[in-house]
């Protein structure tokens, strides 16, 4: 029995490392599954959703509500998609694959559901002929009026005119109509058309980090928007 003792000691010494390796592997697998099925992180690169979302906001979004894509992590090749738990609601902020580039994801607000009639009249959004829907109160700036004193390049002038007057447009079945909260600086369904349910990829939850890259301060901590961290997206 004596010769067996060293091997027993060696086994006891290596067991913790096996446990650590197993825990690390399980944690890594859990993180990959969480990333693939449940949570995604996003950075806001433009001002099309101001003032709800600012440039430099970092979001966490869940991917289950509208149906989660399952992809190969490196190749980004879609394998399949879990069925959605529900469809978007009017007024809800959604994430979806871009009209022209499925590899790019965009954040906008759902304004119209299938069958809704959406129009913009003199910078006022109307859904099914109603302009007083509380969902949109405070979401869209209706105070900006274009006049002859405003000076815009041609492309910007057309964008402003499109923002002020659009439609009426009936949202197609199986689609939603999306708009940016910064209506005069958002290329959305007014330009590219409706967004299909199949293009939806996530529902924003909250801002986990926010940095003002245009801060003039030399102190990096001054560029952090502390008041926005933890803020819910709604």
């Amino acid at each position: 029995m004596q010769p067996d003792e060293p091997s027993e000691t060696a086994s006891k010494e290596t067991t913790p490392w096996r446990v650590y390796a197993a825990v690390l592997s399980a944690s890594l697998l859990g993180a990959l599954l969480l990333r693939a099925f449940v949570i995604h992180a996003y950075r806001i690169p433009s001002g099309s959703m101001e003032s709800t979302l600012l440039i430099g906001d970092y979001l966490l979004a869940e991917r289950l509500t509208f149906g989660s894509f399952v992809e190969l992590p490196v190749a980004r090749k879609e394998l399949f998609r879990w069925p959605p738990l529900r469809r978007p609601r009017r007024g809800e902020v959604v994430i979806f694959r871009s009209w022209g580039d499925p590899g790019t994801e965009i954040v906008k607000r759902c304004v119209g559901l299938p069958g809704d009639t959406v129009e913009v009249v003199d910078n006022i959004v109307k859904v099914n002929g109603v302009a007083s829907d509380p969902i949109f109160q405070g979401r869209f700036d209706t105070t900006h009026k274009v006049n002859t004193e405003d000076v815009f390049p041609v492309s910007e002038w057309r964008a402003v005119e499109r923002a002020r007057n659009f439609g009426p447009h009936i949202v197609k079945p199986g689609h939603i109509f999306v708009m940016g909260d910064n209506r005069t600086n958002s290329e959305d369904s007014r330009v590219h058309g409706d967004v299909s349910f199949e293009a939806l990829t996530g529902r924003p939850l909250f801002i986990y980090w926010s940095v003002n890259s245009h801060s003039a301060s030399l102190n990096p901590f001054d560029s952090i928007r502390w008041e926005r961290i933890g803020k819910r997206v709604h």
Side-chain angles (χ1 to χ4, degrees):
M1 299 297 295
Q2 298 265 339
D4 292 336
E5 292 181 2
S7 62
E8 183 179 346
T9 302
S11 175
K12 290 180 180 179
E13 291 177 352
T14 57
T15 297
W17 294 106
R18 293 176 182 174
V19 173
Y20 296 151
V23 170
L24 180 61
S25 300
S27 300
L28 181 60
L29 178 61
L32 290 174
L33 291 175
L34 192 68
R35 164 68 168 76
F37 294 103
V38 184
I39 297 294
H40 249 193
Y42 298 88
R43 175 184 173 274
I44 301 301
S46 74
S48 68
M49 280 294 291
E50 292 178 348
S51 58
T52 304
L53 297 172
L54 306 180
I55 297 173
D57 281 348
Y58 290 77
L59 312 178
L60 280 183
E62 58 89 7
R63 294 159 53 87
L64 295 178
T65 298
F66 303 140
S68 175
F69 289 96
V70 179
E71 301 174 329
L72 291 175
V74 178
R76 293 184 62 85
K77 181 180 179 181
E78 183 182 331
L79 300 177
F80 63 93
R81 181 176 184 173
W82 293 110
L85 301 178
R86 65 169 175 82
R87 295 306 186 187
R89 296 165 181 157
R90 194 183 295 115
E92 192 169 32
V93 179
V94 300
I95 300 173
F96 57 94
R97 289 180 168 177
S98 172
W99 295 272
D101 180 13
T104 300
E105 293 178 303
I106 299 176
V107 181
K108 301 290 183 186
R109 188 176 298 279
C110 173
V111 173
L113 301 176
D116 282 348
T117 298
V118 180
E119 60 182 326
V120 182
V121 180
D122 196 20
N123 215 26
I124 297 176
V125 177
K126 294 184 178 182
V127 180
N128 299 325
V130 178
S132 58
D133 193 324
I135 291 175
F136 306 116
Q137 295 302 316
R139 298 297 182 194
F140 301 102
D141 178 18
T142 59
T143 60
H144 181 74
K145 301 292 182 181
V146 177
N147 55 56
T148 55
E149 296 179 358
D150 290 327
V151 180
F152 294 103
V154 174
S155 60
E156 292 185 21
W157 176 266
R158 289 174 179 168
V160 171
E161 284 299 301
R162 183 195 70 235
R164 293 187 65 211
N165 294 284
F166 170 85
H169 167 79
I170 299 177
V171 184
K172 296 185 294 185
H175 290 69
I176 60 174
F177 190 94
V178 299
M179 296 176 67
D181 286 0
N182 184 359
R183 203 166 60 240
T184 56
N185 185 30
S186 174
E187 288 197 9
D188 43 45
S189 288
R190 292 167 294 173
V191 178
H192 301 290
D194 301 335
V195 175
S196 70
F197 289 154
E198 287 72 24
L200 296 170
T201 59
R203 184 174 67 93
L205 297 176
F206 62 90
I207 299 168
Y208 71 89
W209 190 247
S210 184
V211 177
N212 180 7
S213 60
H214 298 294
S215 174
S217 175
L218 297 179
N219 185 347
F221 289 99
D222 290 340
S223 65
I224 301 173
R225 303 186 186 106
W226 298 102
E227 72 283 0
R228 295 188 64 78
I229 297 175
K231 184 177 181 179
R232 290 182 56 203
V233 179
H234 55 80

